[in-house]
Amino acid sequence: MKHFSAFTVLLLFTVCLAQGQQKPLHPDLKIEQPAGPKPWTNLNINDKPGQFQFVVVTDRTGGHRPGIFEKGVDKVNLLQPEFVMSVGDMIEGYTTDTAEINRQWDEFCGFVGKLTMPFFYVPGNHDFTNPVMERIWKERFGPAYYSFVYKDVLFMALNSEDQTRGSGKGSISPPQLEWIRKTLDANRNVKWTFLFMHQPLWVQETDPVKWFDVEKLLADRKHTVFVGHRHHYERFERNNTQYYMLATTGGASALRGPQLGEFDHFVWVTMTEQGPILANLHLDGVFDHDVFNEQLTAFTEKIWSSNMIRVEEPLYVKGATFTQDSIRFRITNNFDVPVKVKLDHGFSWDFKADIAKPELTVPPNSVRFSSIELTARKQKEIEAMKAVKVKAGVAVQQAGKSDFFVPFEFNVAPLRRYELKKATGSIKTDGVLNDWASLPYTLPTPEGGRFGIAYDNKFIYLGVQVNDSELINDSAGTTINQDFVGFVLDGQPTTKSISEKGDDWFKNSLYFIASPEDGSGKSSVRDLGESEQQLVWKCIKNKSGYAFEIAIPIEYVQQQQGDLWQSVRVNVVVQDKDAKSSSRITWQPNWRDRDNLPGSGMFFRDAKSKM
């Protein structure tokens, strides 16, 4: 028989006590717990008895925008709160025409009748404007101020319009104040109090009558106040608590965004033991389960792969500056139904822009054109001018279905017309650049760099000098993790190459990157395809950094354009890898990025050599 010391017994007792005090699993949770580590943070399900959620909707009227509030109802139904509160201005009102008032209320009641949970009315100045509207309110909804308690929380719907004084003149009348006093006295021990009314009485210039007396009654209890009326969101710290003035759920608004408090929303309130937690949900940020499905995926992919909207011909400029010209878009509809197209453009500091046909419908299996006119705001070099972003939406018109616009974005700007000149002498691809007459093009690398391009009867040559005082290169390492230089060259006809986007890592182009030779005399290169394996090249260190030279067989271009080939599209890329930093730059915008500029980096064969 084993004997236990007093310390051992005490230790076992302590361990058992601690285990016995562990929080039991939620009664609705059934889970198999492994003996060791567990793939979850804890099992304290966030389902406390006193916790619940409700929604507050705000101003629909005061210049309502049709369809917005109704959309809000649909979004609230998706989230399934326990109930919905209002802060007033549900109808336009401001009339004594009883038929019109009832028509407006019938319409609104039809909207909230679609909610799958209770909706609590609170009067606004548009709902409770005059004695006629007051009478109709009482006939339809009964009391204009009332309260209820849910899970030990007091909800008070107040009437800031009970003296029908109008906008900016809200008030709490003496009879309503007395009712508020009695209601608060009868509910002294609730854990929280919410007040809902329409006008923000504490900030209006006109005397709000008894409102400040209401605040005194609330001073010693935990409470939160919700109002609307001014159509912009603002939070106030007042009376030792939070007051919230809500924006709109369809009311008039400049809609300049949440940063200015102007947006369509509803408030999702979670009541916890510690107090309410608020989330403002933008109507356009709440989607149902079918926001995107396999049918829409197939549809959008078909639109995108069709290259439906493209620049017909880039605007190439021979000189160094640009004044004014236009760029034409080609819109091709290969569908058997009409296609609706909307075009718009972003702002540019460098250009004024104007789209000739911002909206058009393209008949089935046909082509239409639009254009954008660019006017330079001031004279500057073309390479320094920032592109204009064109945004397009394409919707296939189908009977009985609403328009679903597939978005497109592309950039336009005047482009420098680069001349591809014939080499003046023999170029040896040895990485020594002294056989180049010049390297005329600047690379925006951290320490500078230049390159040149030329051709003869057999090859197109590219020579690059990269200035780099700290080389990281290892022929056995992965190329993209060290210093490298590379290029993309597209030999397709101009009409095709201008629209290339570098899909599938430049599948229709030559794409090549290499690091400078290391101590073993070898370079690290990206996995080479069959085309790249035929290239003759060299990448070696020099006193300024390293140089890269390559010869591309002219047959690569001739196979695609014939003997009278006209152009090649080129981009150069450099990665500067240092111990503490890394940067990757391209001479022209990367074809694979959103900044791609159709037709950029196009070199045209000089006219004399075509003869």
Side-chain angles (χ1 to χ4, degrees), residues 369-384:
F369 296 92
S370 184
S371 63
I372 183 169
E373 184 176 64
L374 301 178
T375 304
R377 295 183 185 273
K378 57 183 177 181
Q379 290 295 304
K380 60 193 297 189
E381 289 192 2
I382 290 174
E383 285 93 341

Side-chain angles (χ1 to χ4, degrees), residues 424-439 463-465 540 542 547-549:
T424 56
S426 176
I427 296 177
K428 186 178 181 180
T429 52
D430 55 4
V432 180
L433 302 174
N434 55 13
D435 47 4
W436 285 79
S438 67
L439 301 175
V464 185
Q465 171 63 44
I540 63 173
N542 57 31
F548 172 70
E549 241 178 340

